[in-house]
Amino acid sequence: MAGINIPGVSDKYKTNDLVEALMKAERVPLTREQESLDKYKDQQSAWRDVNQKLSSLRDSVKSLYSFDNPFNNKLSTSSEESAITATADRSAEYGSFKVDVIKPASADRFLSEELSKDFTVPQGTYTFQVADKTVSFAWKGGKVSDFVTALNRRGTNIIKADVIGMNKGSKSLLIESLKTGIDNRLEFKDDALTFAKQVHLISPSKPVTDKFGTQNSEIEEPAAAPVPVPEQAGMPDFSSKGVSANDSGITVPPRGGFTIKLPPQYQGSGDSRIEFTYTASKVPDVTVELNELLKRPDLPDASVEFSGVTVQNDQSETALPFPDFTEPLEPIEGDRSLVFARTADGTEQLIPEAQIEHNEETGEYKVTVDTGSYAGIDSLVIRNRNTGEQLSLSPMEAYSKKDSLGFAPDHAVSVADDAEIKYEGITIRRPSNTIDDVVPNVTLNVKDKTKETATITVSPDTQSAKDALITFIGKYNQAVAEINILSQDKPEIISELDYLTDDEQDAKQKRLGMFLSDFSLTNVKSQMQRIIAASYRPIDGAEITMLNQIGIATQASGGGGGYTPSRLRGYLEVDEKKLDSNLENNLDAIKDLFGYDSDGDLIIDSGIGYALDKQITAYVQTGGVIASKTRALDTQIKASESKIARLQTQLDNKEAELKMKYGQMESTLNSLESQKNSISNFSNSRQDR
């Protein structure tokens, strides 16, 4: 009996080869369509690469004429970099200025006495305060290191603690404020205060004060107010007449006033306070007597006439003065705008109500003058505008703010203090070492005391401008190279690009001349070249009007290098020496070359950068030229994929049909062969008989 033939297994009659031969011819349309699909995908990938390079070029171009263009960048240098540096923003003026750092701002940093290895921090509520920021937590008691960890976890940006190894295994606790400035003193409260005294971080202290304002010799005439308060006509001027000083203080009558100098050590100080109190008491109002003058008798002129002769009488003589006002004076009561801080240059500032405390029970007013708020203060001016009130001032007291908390550090590593600098000879104090409100658009960074006067210079940042221009040239040349490869069929175009790796050169070789018949790329290249070579005149008489004038051109190095085909392909070259010179001397002109406002509407509408941006945008924007190309290829790819799927189905059906037919043929042949063998065997058996 003949064996069963399964096509592809026993394949006795080579039917698989026959089917494969027949299917090979059938697959030709599918193969051709797959090749078309690969071509569409390669073209789409190529367009996307062009889009990426042109987009990158456009971004580079935008940066050359936008608000953030590098030509406005400023560079600041300091002759004393270790003591003070500066950062200039884009709006800073060019120039230089002098700065002396008297002292940098500092923060409180307190060290405890040496503690034993097994020292523990007692249980309690520990509260620390820096200015208006408070850190408070409940501590269950434990090791110093654990206490430090707990405090640091809660004191972010406010307070910090550390354990410092000392002698013979002992240790000390360091607690510091993270905010500089004399107003950012580190304060201990609740159980933290008890603990701080226990480990000698701090000890009680009383501020040392200097009294003044107890002698008549200190009283001077009140300075004329720079901006006088409008007064009623006829109101007496301020005068020190009647002002008296003694050990009990200073008495100021109505319309009285005086100027008093601060003690020398407090003049111009930024870390001191001046305090005094005053009360107001009723006295006869000076306007009453003045208004009486308006009631003088009005005596008519007298005359005698006799025989046609008139004799005029002399004016009546009285002891009454003639006032220089015609309307009654209105009394002034309850005016408390009476204390002014005066600087050496004559500038005055009114002490605001926030610095004056009123005790309603006693009627006493407490005045606190923080000298740090009045740079250059050297005296106080008191003016009693009231017409029916007499002021009684206590002696004035001056003291350092460092001593105002009632406690002083036992082992101070540093104490909170303001930075003090001299800007062009003017003394300035600030609580931070970063000072941005002295020089317009310049931030000063104070580090240490200057050994010599520092000169801060603000100049153009030509290096960042050069870097941006070099980046632009590189992006431009990359875009041109990609366009050249796709639009021309010259192998040397790729070999000239010596920055490509071997793999990159092979990939580029496959794209060489891919869009030889598509004029979109040659058009954008020619338009870019036209823009690069064009002349732009931002203002009449402008000397820099073309890109090649600053050392950037398609043949920037001149003709001395001889002829090379690569120099004719549109790549930009740089004459670095010429570019450096122009950046140094014509930076504003270069900025205008890339973008300027031609019609005065404050919007840039001309220049190389603007024109290139506008031209490239037409290609890379949504709905632009390249988007249309890739969209058309998307349609072709989808159609091709559908066709391939359809052809594949047809081929699968055809192959199945052929295999079925040839399988049936093999089955028939096997059956015939089996019958033949049966007949042959029967015939042979008959002959044997």
Side-chain angles (χ1 to χ4, degrees), residues 591-602:
K591 180 185 75 172
D592 290 340
L593 184 62
F594 279 90
Y596 63 94
D597 173 20
S598 64
D599 55 12
D601 63 354
L602 304 180

Side-chain angles (χ1 to χ4, degrees), residues 564-583:
T564 56
S566 64
R567 300 184 68 188
L568 302 177
R569 305 199 196 283
Y571 301 125
L572 289 177
E573 297 178 357
V574 183
D575 183 338
E576 195 166 353
K577 186 176 181 181
K578 188 175 182 180
L579 178 61
D580 288 342
S581 176
N582 277 280
L583 287 172

Side-chain angles (χ1 to χ4, degrees), residues 29 81 85 126 170 322 340 362 366 415 472 484 547 559 581 689:
E81 293 281 344
T85 60
Y126 286 76
S170 62
F322 288 89
F340 299 83
T362 63
K366 181 180 180 181
V415 293
F472 157 68
N484 286 341
L547 195 60
S581 176
R689 290 181 183 177

Side-chain angles (χ1 to χ4, degrees), residues 454-469:
T455 301
I456 308 292
T457 303
V458 178
S459 58
D461 187 358
T462 56
Q463 186 59 49
S464 67
K466 181 179 179 180
D467 291 342
L469 288 172

Side-chain angles (χ1 to χ4, degrees), residues 323-608:
D324 57 359
F325 58 95
T326 58
E327 297 293 332
L329 296 174
E330 295 291 335
I332 300 175
E333 298 179 355
D335 188 290
R336 298 294 171 254
S337 300
L338 51 87
V339 185
F340 299 83
R342 185 176 179 86
T343 58
D345 61 1
T347 303
E348 285 189 16
Q349 286 182 261
L350 176 67
I351 305 302
E353 291 185 9
Q355 292 178 251
I356 301 177
E357 299 177 14
H358 181 212
N359 188 325
E360 295 184 358
E361 293 183 3
T362 63
E364 187 176 73
Y365 293 85
K366 181 180 180 181
V367 180
T368 302
V369 180
D370 191 333
T371 60
S373 301
Y374 308 97
I377 184 174
D378 74 342
S379 58
L380 294 177
V381 181
I382 309 296
R383 298 186 183 92
N384 182 11
R385 292 187 67 242
N386 301 288
T387 57
E389 289 183 354
Q390 176 174 285
L391 304 180
S392 298
L393 280 66
S394 70
M396 298 182 178
E397 293 185 334
Y399 61 89
S400 170
K401 287 192 290 185
K402 298 176 183 178
D403 302 328
S404 63
L405 296 178
F407 293 93
D410 282 353
H411 311 283
V413 179
S414 65
V415 293
D417 207 350
D418 293 339
E420 183 176 344
I421 66 172
K422 280 191 175 181
Y423 167 68
E424 297 290 356
I426 302 170
T427 300
I428 295 168
R429 294 178 180 83
R430 293 293 184 272
S432 171
N433 286 318
T434 301
I435 304 173
D436 59 4
D437 59 351
V438 173
V439 184
N441 304 305
V442 176
T443 299
L444 301 176
N445 305 300
V446 177
K447 300 177 181 178
D448 202 352
K449 181 178 179 180
T450 50
K451 297 178 181 178
E452 298 179 356
T453 300
T455 301
I456 308 292
T457 303
V458 178
S459 58
D461 187 358
T462 56
Q463 186 59 49
S464 67
K466 181 179 179 180
D467 291 342
L469 288 172
I470 296 299
T471 299
F472 157 68
I473 293 168
K475 301 291 186 183
Y476 181 91
N477 287 343
Q478 286 178 354
V480 170
E482 192 70 19
I483 292 172
N484 286 341
I485 291 169
L486 294 170
S487 62
Q488 300 180 45
D489 191 11
K490 298 177 181 179
E492 58 270 23
I493 291 175
I494 298 175
S495 61
E496 291 165 359
L497 305 176
D498 53 10
Y499 57 83
L500 296 177
T501 65
D502 292 341
D503 291 340
E504 288 173 336
Q505 286 195 5
D506 292 340
K508 299 293 185 186
Q509 196 69 43
K510 294 177 182 178
R511 292 183 175 181
L512 189 64
M514 180 178 286
F515 301 134
L516 193 60
S517 59
D518 191 321
F519 295 106
S520 300
L521 293 178
T522 54
N523 284 342
V524 69
K525 176 185 172 183
S526 62
Q527 290 161 356
M528 287 164 53
Q529 289 176 316
R530 175 181 55 78
I531 292 169
I532 290 294
S535 175
Y536 303 86
R537 193 173 297 278
I539 57 173
D540 292 337
E543 296 182 358
I544 304 295
T545 60
M546 298 182 71
L547 195 60
N548 61 10
Q549 290 179 276
I550 66 171
I552 301 175
T554 53
Q555 296 188 41
S557 56
Y563 167 80
T564 56
S566 64
R567 300 184 68 188
L568 302 177
R569 305 199 196 283
Y571 301 125
L572 289 177
E573 297 178 357
V574 183
D575 183 338
E576 195 166 353
K577 186 176 181 181
K578 188 175 182 180
L579 178 61
D580 288 342
S581 176
N582 277 280
L583 287 172
E584 190 68 32
N585 302 305
N586 300 303
L587 188 63
D588 288 339
I590 296 174
K591 180 185 75 172
D592 290 340
L593 184 62
F594 279 90
Y596 63 94
D597 173 20
S598 64
D599 55 12
D601 63 354
L602 304 180
I603 298 175
I604 291 176
D605 54 16
S606 190
I608 294 173

